[in-house]
């Protein structure tokens, strides 16, 4: 659990420093969330991930929204969102490449 919390802290700091992105056309698009919110897509069971997410939120003061589902379905959703991604972090239940 400590390793996963550490990973979330690192990923959150990276994602929160990049709240806007440049599209291929050169225009800047703002993320739909503010800098104090982190959106996590996860294929992990809520009973497994929620304690880690709660510890992260308590430690950092950052609001975390969890979107759970099957890993394959979340991968498809991320693929559909590729031009305007919603998730800041994706935690899967299986390795993929």
């Amino acid at each position: 659990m400590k390793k996963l919390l550490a990973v979330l802290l690192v990923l959150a700091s990276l994602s929160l420093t990049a709240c806007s992105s440049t599209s291929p056309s050169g225009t800047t698009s703002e993320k739909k969330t503010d800098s104090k919110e982190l959106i996590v897509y996860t294929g992990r069971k809520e009973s497994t991930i929620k304690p880690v997410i709660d510890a992260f939120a308590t430690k950092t003061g950052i609001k975390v929204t969890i979107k759970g589902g099957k890993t394959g379905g979340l991968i498809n959703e991320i693929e559909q969102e590729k031009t305007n991604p919603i998730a800041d972090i994706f935690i899967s239940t299986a390795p993929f490449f």
Side-chain angles (χ1 to χ4, degrees):
M1 184 163 139
K2 286 183 180 181
K3 286 183 182 180
L4 187 53
L5 181 58
V7 169
L8 280 174
L9 286 169
V10 170
L11 291 174
S13 66
L14 292 173
S15 68
L16 293 177
T17 58
C19 288
S20 66
S21 60
T22 303
S23 69
S25 63
T27 60
T28 301
S29 62
E30 292 296 319
K31 247 183 126 38
K32 294 179 183 177
T33 61
D34 64 31
S35 63
K36 291 291 185 179
E37 180 180 16
L38 192 65
I39 299 176
V40 177
Y41 283 12
T42 181
R44 310 239 0 139
K45 291 181 181 179
E46 185 174 343
S47 61
T48 303
I49 198 69
K50 187 141 176 45
V52 177
I53 297 295
D54 289 345
F56 171 83
T58 299
K59 185 171 180 94
T60 63
I62 297 171
K63 178 185 174 197
V64 180
T65 300
I66 301 171
K67 178 171 185 165
K70 295 193 178 215
T71 297
L74 292 170
I75 290 171
N76 287 335
E77 194 160 339
I78 291 168
E79 180 68 27
Q80 291 175 2
E81 296 171 353
K82 67 183 170 188
T83 59
N84 189 21
I86 296 170
D88 296 301
I89 298 173
F90 172 56
I91 303 171
S92 76
T93 57
F96 62 93
F97 299 92

